[in-house]
PDB file of all heavy atoms in Angstrom:
ATOM      1  N   VAL A  22     -16.001 100.068  28.003  1.00  0.00           N
ATOM      2  CA  VAL A  22     -14.651 100.632  27.931  1.00  0.00           C
ATOM      3  C   VAL A  22     -13.820 100.158  29.117  1.00  0.00           C
ATOM      4  O   VAL A  22     -12.642  99.802  28.965  1.00  0.00           O
ATOM      5  CB  VAL A  22     -14.707 102.166  27.882  1.00  0.00           C
ATOM      6  CG1 VAL A  22     -13.343 102.777  28.154  1.00  0.00           C
ATOM      7  CG2 VAL A  22     -15.223 102.637  26.527  1.00  0.00           C
ATOM      8  N   SER A  36      -0.837 101.595  27.483  1.00  0.00           N
ATOM      9  CA  SER A  36      -1.829 102.601  27.902  1.00  0.00           C
ATOM     10  C   SER A  36      -3.226 102.038  27.692  1.00  0.00           C
ATOM     11  O   SER A  36      -3.962 102.496  26.802  1.00  0.00           O
ATOM     12  CB  SER A  36      -1.642 103.894  27.117  1.00  0.00           C
ATOM     13  OG  SER A  36      -1.599 103.616  25.720  1.00  0.00           O
ATOM     14  N   ALA A  41      -8.450 102.018  25.058  1.00  0.00           N
ATOM     15  CA  ALA A  41      -9.842 101.567  25.068  1.00  0.00           C
ATOM     16  C   ALA A  41     -10.787 102.723  24.770  1.00  0.00           C
ATOM     17  O   ALA A  41     -11.766 102.579  24.028  1.00  0.00           O
ATOM     18  CB  ALA A  41     -10.175 100.927  26.413  1.00  0.00           C
ATOM     19  N   THR A  52     -15.495 112.287  19.975  1.00  0.00           N
ATOM     20  CA  THR A  52     -14.222 112.477  20.643  1.00  0.00           C
ATOM     21  C   THR A  52     -14.233 111.718  21.966  1.00  0.00           C
ATOM     22  O   THR A  52     -15.306 111.362  22.494  1.00  0.00           O
ATOM     23  CB  THR A  52     -13.953 113.955  20.926  1.00  0.00           C
ATOM     24  OG1 THR A  52     -14.948 114.448  21.844  1.00  0.00           O
ATOM     25  CG2 THR A  52     -13.996 114.768  19.630  1.00  0.00           C
ATOM     26  N   LEU A  56     -17.608 110.626  24.997  1.00  0.00           N
ATOM     27  CA  LEU A  56     -18.059 109.236  25.084  1.00  0.00           C
ATOM     28  C   LEU A  56     -19.315 109.095  25.935  1.00  0.00           C
ATOM     29  O   LEU A  56     -20.167 108.237  25.663  1.00  0.00           O
ATOM     30  CB  LEU A  56     -16.940 108.362  25.671  1.00  0.00           C
ATOM     31  CG  LEU A  56     -15.777 108.011  24.736  1.00  0.00           C
ATOM     32  CD1 LEU A  56     -14.703 107.257  25.500  1.00  0.00           C
ATOM     33  CD2 LEU A  56     -16.273 107.181  23.558  1.00  0.00           C
ATOM     34  N   ASP A  61     -27.054 104.094  25.140  1.00  0.00           N
ATOM     35  CA  ASP A  61     -26.937 102.634  25.175  1.00  0.00           C
ATOM     36  C   ASP A  61     -27.412 101.994  23.878  1.00  0.00           C
ATOM     37  O   ASP A  61     -26.817 101.045  23.381  1.00  0.00           O
ATOM     38  CB  ASP A  61     -27.748 102.067  26.348  1.00  0.00           C
ATOM     39  CG  ASP A  61     -27.087 102.375  27.693  1.00  0.00           C
ATOM     40  OD1 ASP A  61     -25.980 102.958  27.678  1.00  0.00           O
ATOM     41  OD2 ASP A  61     -27.683 102.046  28.725  1.00  0.00           O
ATOM     42  N   ARG A  67     -19.080  96.500  16.904  1.00  0.00           N
ATOM     43  CA  ARG A  67     -17.774  96.452  16.234  1.00  0.00           C
ATOM     44  C   ARG A  67     -16.653  96.927  17.141  1.00  0.00           C
ATOM     45  O   ARG A  67     -15.473  96.704  16.856  1.00  0.00           O
ATOM     46  CB  ARG A  67     -17.817  97.297  14.960  1.00  0.00           C
ATOM     47  CG  ARG A  67     -18.703  96.734  13.858  1.00  0.00           C
ATOM     48  CD  ARG A  67     -18.677  97.649  12.643  1.00  0.00           C
ATOM     49  NE  ARG A  67     -19.085  99.018  13.010  1.00  0.00           N
ATOM     50  CZ  ARG A  67     -18.947 100.066  12.212  1.00  0.00           C
ATOM     51  NH1 ARG A  67     -18.393  99.937  11.017  1.00  0.00           N
ATOM     52  NH2 ARG A  67     -19.361 101.260  12.601  1.00  0.00           N
ATOM     53  N   TYR A  68     -17.018  97.588  18.229  1.00  0.00           N
ATOM     54  CA  TYR A  68     -16.018  98.015  19.198  1.00  0.00           C
ATOM     55  C   TYR A  68     -15.173  96.844  19.658  1.00  0.00           C
ATOM     56  O   TYR A  68     -13.947  96.942  19.787  1.00  0.00           O
ATOM     57  CB  TYR A  68     -16.716  98.685  20.383  1.00  0.00           C
ATOM     58  CG  TYR A  68     -15.787  99.067  21.514  1.00  0.00           C
ATOM     59  CD1 TYR A  68     -14.703  99.914  21.290  1.00  0.00           C
ATOM     60  CD2 TYR A  68     -15.997  98.592  22.810  1.00  0.00           C
ATOM     61  CE1 TYR A  68     -13.852 100.276  22.328  1.00  0.00           C
ATOM     62  CE2 TYR A  68     -15.160  98.953  23.846  1.00  0.00           C
ATOM     63  CZ  TYR A  68     -14.087  99.792  23.605  1.00  0.00           C
ATOM     64  OH  TYR A  68     -13.250 100.139  24.637  1.00  0.00           O
ATOM     65  N   ASN A  77      -4.289  91.978  20.305  1.00  0.00           N
ATOM     66  CA  ASN A  77      -3.261  91.220  19.594  1.00  0.00           C
ATOM     67  C   ASN A  77      -2.051  92.067  19.242  1.00  0.00           C
ATOM     68  O   ASN A  77      -1.199  91.637  18.466  1.00  0.00           O
ATOM     69  CB  ASN A  77      -3.855  90.606  18.322  1.00  0.00           C
ATOM     70  CG  ASN A  77      -4.793  89.456  18.632  1.00  0.00           C
ATOM     71  OD1 ASN A  77      -4.590  88.728  19.598  1.00  0.00           O
ATOM     72  ND2 ASN A  77      -5.832  89.309  17.820  1.00  0.00           N
ATOM     73  N   TYR A  92       0.089 119.514  16.780  1.00  0.00           N
ATOM     74  CA  TYR A  92      -1.245 120.007  16.431  1.00  0.00           C
ATOM     75  C   TYR A  92      -1.815 119.321  15.191  1.00  0.00           C
ATOM     76  O   TYR A  92      -2.790 119.788  14.613  1.00  0.00           O
ATOM     77  CB  TYR A  92      -1.188 121.524  16.205  1.00  0.00           C
ATOM     78  CG  TYR A  92      -0.629 122.273  17.385  1.00  0.00           C
ATOM     79  CD1 TYR A  92       0.665 122.789  17.357  1.00  0.00           C
ATOM     80  CD2 TYR A  92      -1.385 122.448  18.548  1.00  0.00           C
ATOM     81  CE1 TYR A  92       1.185 123.463  18.454  1.00  0.00           C
ATOM     82  CE2 TYR A  92      -0.869 123.119  19.648  1.00  0.00           C
ATOM     83  CZ  TYR A  92       0.420 123.626  19.588  1.00  0.00           C
ATOM     84  OH  TYR A  92       0.936 124.292  20.683  1.00  0.00           O
ATOM     85  N   ARG A 105       5.850 109.058  17.269  1.00  0.00           N
ATOM     86  CA  ARG A 105       5.750 108.900  18.713  1.00  0.00           C
ATOM     87  C   ARG A 105       5.765 110.253  19.421  1.00  0.00           C
ATOM     88  O   ARG A 105       6.359 111.213  18.920  1.00  0.00           O
ATOM     89  CB  ARG A 105       6.942 108.098  19.231  1.00  0.00           C
ATOM     90  CG  ARG A 105       6.842 106.581  19.274  1.00  0.00           C
ATOM     91  CD  ARG A 105       6.370 105.887  18.072  1.00  0.00           C
ATOM     92  NE  ARG A 105       6.607 104.425  18.181  1.00  0.00           N
ATOM     93  CZ  ARG A 105       6.435 103.588  17.179  1.00  0.00           C
ATOM     94  NH1 ARG A 105       6.034 104.030  15.997  1.00  0.00           N
ATOM     95  NH2 ARG A 105       6.673 102.307  17.343  1.00  0.00           N
ATOM     96  N   GLU A 109       7.997 114.779  19.539  1.00  0.00           N
ATOM     97  CA  GLU A 109       7.430 116.121  19.630  1.00  0.00           C
ATOM     98  C   GLU A 109       8.352 117.070  20.383  1.00  0.00           C
ATOM     99  O   GLU A 109       8.395 118.271  20.086  1.00  0.00           O
ATOM    100  CB  GLU A 109       6.066 116.066  20.315  1.00  0.00           C
ATOM    101  CG  GLU A 109       5.020 115.274  19.539  1.00  0.00           C
ATOM    102  CD  GLU A 109       3.658 115.346  20.196  1.00  0.00           C
ATOM    103  OE1 GLU A 109       3.363 116.359  20.859  1.00  0.00           O
ATOM    104  OE2 GLU A 109       2.878 114.388  20.047  1.00  0.00           O
ATOM    105  N   ILE A 116      11.743 124.187  16.492  1.00  0.00           N
ATOM    106  CA  ILE A 116      10.919 125.368  16.227  1.00  0.00           C
ATOM    107  C   ILE A 116      11.421 126.565  17.023  1.00  0.00           C
ATOM    108  O   ILE A 116      11.500 127.690  16.512  1.00  0.00           O
ATOM    109  CB  ILE A 116       9.440 125.052  16.525  1.00  0.00           C
ATOM    110  CG1 ILE A 116       8.901 124.080  15.476  1.00  0.00           C
ATOM    111  CG2 ILE A 116       8.603 126.324  16.577  1.00  0.00           C
ATOM    112  CD1 ILE A 116       7.548 123.493  15.812  1.00  0.00           C
ATOM    113  N   GLU A 121      14.415 131.804  16.969  1.00  0.00           N
ATOM    114  CA  GLU A 121      15.541 132.602  17.462  1.00  0.00           C
ATOM    115  C   GLU A 121      16.409 133.116  16.312  1.00  0.00           C
ATOM    116  O   GLU A 121      16.993 134.208  16.413  1.00  0.00           O
ATOM    117  CB  GLU A 121      16.398 131.768  18.414  1.00  0.00           C
ATOM    118  CG  GLU A 121      15.758 131.505  19.762  1.00  0.00           C
ATOM    119  CD  GLU A 121      16.588 130.558  20.611  1.00  0.00           C
ATOM    120  OE1 GLU A 121      17.677 130.145  20.153  1.00  0.00           O
ATOM    121  OE2 GLU A 121      16.143 130.216  21.723  1.00  0.00           O
ATOM    122  N   LEU A 122      16.505 132.329  15.234  1.00  0.00           N
ATOM    123  CA  LEU A 122      17.321 132.758  14.106  1.00  0.00           C
ATOM    124  C   LEU A 122      16.746 134.005  13.431  1.00  0.00           C
ATOM    125  O   LEU A 122      17.473 134.759  12.789  1.00  0.00           O
ATOM    126  CB  LEU A 122      17.436 131.629  13.073  1.00  0.00           C
ATOM    127  CG  LEU A 122      18.292 130.428  13.472  1.00  0.00           C
ATOM    128  CD1 LEU A 122      18.191 129.332  12.424  1.00  0.00           C
ATOM    129  CD2 LEU A 122      19.746 130.834  13.684  1.00  0.00           C
ATOM    130  N   GLU A 126      12.596 133.454   5.730  1.00  0.00           N
ATOM    131  CA  GLU A 126      12.170 132.201   5.111  1.00  0.00           C
ATOM    132  C   GLU A 126      13.219 131.121   5.378  1.00  0.00           C
ATOM    133  O   GLU A 126      14.012 130.765   4.501  1.00  0.00           O
ATOM    134  CB  GLU A 126      11.960 132.385   3.606  1.00  0.00           C
ATOM    135  CG  GLU A 126      10.829 133.348   3.269  1.00  0.00           C
ATOM    136  CD  GLU A 126      10.585 133.468   1.781  1.00  0.00           C
ATOM    137  OE1 GLU A 126      11.369 132.890   1.001  1.00  0.00           O
ATOM    138  OE2 GLU A 126       9.619 134.142   1.396  1.00  0.00           O
ATOM    139  N   CYS A 133      14.569 111.102   6.374  1.00  0.00           N
ATOM    140  CA  CYS A 133      13.853 109.908   6.849  1.00  0.00           C
ATOM    141  C   CYS A 133      12.474 110.328   7.351  1.00  0.00           C
ATOM    142  O   CYS A 133      12.062 110.033   8.474  1.00  0.00           O
ATOM    143  CB  CYS A 133      14.625 109.177   7.935  1.00  0.00           C
ATOM    144  SG  CYS A 133      16.336 108.799   7.534  1.00  0.00           S
ATOM    145  N   ARG A 149       6.147 130.765   6.777  1.00  0.00           N
ATOM    146  CA  ARG A 149       7.034 131.019   5.645  1.00  0.00           C
ATOM    147  C   ARG A 149       8.257 130.105   5.611  1.00  0.00           C
ATOM    148  O   ARG A 149       9.169 130.317   4.807  1.00  0.00           O
ATOM    149  CB  ARG A 149       7.461 132.497   5.609  1.00  0.00           C
ATOM    150  CG  ARG A 149       6.286 133.473   5.520  1.00  0.00           C
ATOM    151  CD  ARG A 149       6.744 134.906   5.411  1.00  0.00           C
ATOM    152  NE  ARG A 149       7.392 135.151   4.112  1.00  0.00           N
ATOM    153  CZ  ARG A 149       7.933 136.319   3.772  1.00  0.00           C
ATOM    154  NH1 ARG A 149       7.917 137.336   4.630  1.00  0.00           N
ATOM    155  NH2 ARG A 149       8.490 136.481   2.597  1.00  0.00           N
ATOM    156  N   ALA A 161       6.185 103.790   2.478  1.00  0.00           N
ATOM    157  CA  ALA A 161       5.983 104.937   3.362  1.00  0.00           C
ATOM    158  C   ALA A 161       5.484 106.151   2.588  1.00  0.00           C
ATOM    159  O   ALA A 161       4.655 106.927   3.082  1.00  0.00           O
ATOM    160  CB  ALA A 161       7.279 105.271   4.089  1.00  0.00           C
ATOM    161  N   THR A 165       3.119 109.499   3.214  1.00  0.00           N
ATOM    162  CA  THR A 165       3.706 110.840   3.228  1.00  0.00           C
ATOM    163  C   THR A 165       2.968 111.746   2.254  1.00  0.00           C
ATOM    164  O   THR A 165       2.643 112.898   2.566  1.00  0.00           O
ATOM    165  CB  THR A 165       5.200 110.796   2.844  1.00  0.00           C
ATOM    166  OG1 THR A 165       5.801 109.600   3.320  1.00  0.00           O
ATOM    167  CG2 THR A 165       5.939 111.986   3.415  1.00  0.00           C
ATOM    168  N   VAL A 169       1.118 115.298   3.220  1.00  0.00           N
ATOM    169  CA  VAL A 169       1.670 116.604   2.827  1.00  0.00           C
ATOM    170  C   VAL A 169       0.846 117.277   1.738  1.00  0.00           C
ATOM    171  O   VAL A 169       1.073 118.449   1.440  1.00  0.00           O
ATOM    172  CB  VAL A 169       3.141 116.490   2.355  1.00  0.00           C
ATOM    173  CG1 VAL A 169       3.999 115.816   3.411  1.00  0.00           C
ATOM    174  CG2 VAL A 169       3.259 115.788   1.014  1.00  0.00           C
ATOM    175  N   GLN A 178      11.544 111.773  -3.022  1.00  0.00           N
ATOM    176  CA  GLN A 178      11.898 110.380  -2.811  1.00  0.00           C
ATOM    177  C   GLN A 178      13.391 110.252  -3.082  1.00  0.00           C
ATOM    178  O   GLN A 178      13.851 110.389  -4.218  1.00  0.00           O
ATOM    179  CB  GLN A 178      11.124 109.427  -3.719  1.00  0.00           C
ATOM    180  CG  GLN A 178      11.470 107.967  -3.429  1.00  0.00           C
ATOM    181  CD  GLN A 178      10.566 106.984  -4.159  1.00  0.00           C
ATOM    182  OE1 GLN A 178       9.890 107.342  -5.130  1.00  0.00           O
ATOM    183  NE2 GLN A 178      10.532 105.738  -3.686  1.00  0.00           N
ATOM    184  N   ASP A 180      17.441 108.883  -1.059  1.00  0.00           N
ATOM    185  CA  ASP A 180      18.221 108.300   0.032  1.00  0.00           C
ATOM    186  C   ASP A 180      18.755 109.447   0.886  1.00  0.00           C
ATOM    187  O   ASP A 180      19.381 110.380   0.372  1.00  0.00           O
ATOM    188  CB  ASP A 180      19.372 107.494  -0.549  1.00  0.00           C
ATOM    189  CG  ASP A 180      20.108 106.659   0.491  1.00  0.00           C
ATOM    190  OD1 ASP A 180      20.271 107.142   1.628  1.00  0.00           O
ATOM    191  OD2 ASP A 180      20.541 105.550   0.157  1.00  0.00           O
ATOM    192  N   LEU A 204      20.507  95.866  15.467  1.00  0.00           N
ATOM    193  CA  LEU A 204      19.953  94.601  14.983  1.00  0.00           C
ATOM    194  C   LEU A 204      19.911  93.552  16.089  1.00  0.00           C
ATOM    195  O   LEU A 204      19.039  92.680  16.099  1.00  0.00           O
ATOM    196  CB  LEU A 204      20.783  94.097  13.805  1.00  0.00           C
ATOM    197  CG  LEU A 204      20.662  94.897  12.504  1.00  0.00           C
ATOM    198  CD1 LEU A 204      21.723  94.453  11.508  1.00  0.00           C
ATOM    199  CD2 LEU A 204      19.274  94.738  11.898  1.00  0.00           C
ATOM    200  N   HIS A 209      13.777  92.404  21.600  1.00  0.00           N
ATOM    201  CA  HIS A 209      13.343  93.227  22.728  1.00  0.00           C
ATOM    202  C   HIS A 209      12.433  94.375  22.298  1.00  0.00           C
ATOM    203  O   HIS A 209      11.947  95.124  23.148  1.00  0.00           O
ATOM    204  CB  HIS A 209      14.568  93.788  23.451  1.00  0.00           C
ATOM    205  CG  HIS A 209      15.502  92.739  23.964  1.00  0.00           C
ATOM    206  ND1 HIS A 209      15.139  91.799  24.909  1.00  0.00           N
ATOM    207  CD2 HIS A 209      16.787  92.448  23.626  1.00  0.00           C
ATOM    208  CE1 HIS A 209      16.152  90.992  25.154  1.00  0.00           C
ATOM    209  NE2 HIS A 209      17.165  91.373  24.387  1.00  0.00           N
ATOM    210  N   THR A 239      25.774 114.009   5.795  1.00  0.00           N
ATOM    211  CA  THR A 239      24.741 114.703   5.011  1.00  0.00           C
ATOM    212  C   THR A 239      24.432 116.072   5.598  1.00  0.00           C
ATOM    213  O   THR A 239      24.332 117.073   4.880  1.00  0.00           O
ATOM    214  CB  THR A 239      23.456 113.869   4.962  1.00  0.00           C
ATOM    215  OG1 THR A 239      23.725 112.604   4.363  1.00  0.00           O
ATOM    216  CG2 THR A 239      22.373 114.570   4.147  1.00  0.00           C
ATOM    217  N   LEU A 243      24.796 119.853   3.930  1.00  0.00           N
ATOM    218  CA  LEU A 243      23.628 120.673   3.632  1.00  0.00           C
ATOM    219  C   LEU A 243      23.619 122.007   4.378  1.00  0.00           C
ATOM    220  O   LEU A 243      23.140 123.020   3.855  1.00  0.00           O
ATOM    221  CB  LEU A 243      22.354 119.906   3.976  1.00  0.00           C
ATOM    222  CG  LEU A 243      21.977 118.739   3.068  1.00  0.00           C
ATOM    223  CD1 LEU A 243      20.832 117.946   3.685  1.00  0.00           C
ATOM    224  CD2 LEU A 243      21.598 119.229   1.675  1.00  0.00           C
ATOM    225  N   ARG A 248      24.526 126.954  11.475  1.00  0.00           N
ATOM    226  CA  ARG A 248      23.165 126.429  11.556  1.00  0.00           C
ATOM    227  C   ARG A 248      23.148 125.055  12.246  1.00  0.00           C
ATOM    228  O   ARG A 248      24.170 124.464  12.524  1.00  0.00           O
ATOM    229  CB  ARG A 248      22.541 126.355  10.172  1.00  0.00           C
ATOM    230  CG  ARG A 248      22.450 127.710   9.482  1.00  0.00           C
ATOM    231  CD  ARG A 248      21.649 128.727  10.294  1.00  0.00           C
ATOM    232  NE  ARG A 248      21.237 129.852   9.474  1.00  0.00           N
ATOM    233  CZ  ARG A 248      21.668 131.103   9.615  1.00  0.00           C
ATOM    234  NH1 ARG A 248      22.541 131.398  10.563  1.00  0.00           N
ATOM    235  NH2 ARG A 248      21.227 132.058   8.824  1.00  0.00           N
ATOM    236  N   TRP A 249      21.929 124.540  12.470  1.00  0.00           N
ATOM    237  CA  TRP A 249      21.718 123.456  13.432  1.00  0.00           C
ATOM    238  C   TRP A 249      21.293 122.128  12.815  1.00  0.00           C
ATOM    239  O   TRP A 249      20.592 122.088  11.808  1.00  0.00           O
ATOM    240  CB  TRP A 249      20.650 123.879  14.430  1.00  0.00           C
ATOM    241  CG  TRP A 249      21.083 124.961  15.354  1.00  0.00           C
ATOM    242  CD1 TRP A 249      20.879 126.303  15.202  1.00  0.00           C
ATOM    243  CD2 TRP A 249      21.797 124.805  16.576  1.00  0.00           C
ATOM    244  NE1 TRP A 249      21.420 126.993  16.260  1.00  0.00           N
ATOM    245  CE2 TRP A 249      21.986 126.099  17.121  1.00  0.00           C
ATOM    246  CE3 TRP A 249      22.292 123.693  17.266  1.00  0.00           C
ATOM    247  CZ2 TRP A 249      22.650 126.312  18.332  1.00  0.00           C
ATOM    248  CZ3 TRP A 249      22.948 123.908  18.472  1.00  0.00           C
ATOM    249  CH2 TRP A 249      23.129 125.189  18.993  1.00  0.00           C
TER     250      TRP A 249
END
Side-chain angles (χ1 to χ4, degrees):
V22 166
S36 51
T52 64
L56 284 175
D61 288 356
R67 292 180 304 169
Y68 175 57
N77 288 327
Y92 304 105
R105 272 49 168 189
E109 296 185 29
I116 290 169
E121 288 174 2
L122 289 174
E126 296 183 354
C133 309
R149 302 183 69 182
T165 326
V169 305
Q178 183 171 18
D180 190 323
L204 290 169
H209 301 298
T239 300
L243 289 170
R248 300 302 197 247
W249 291 95

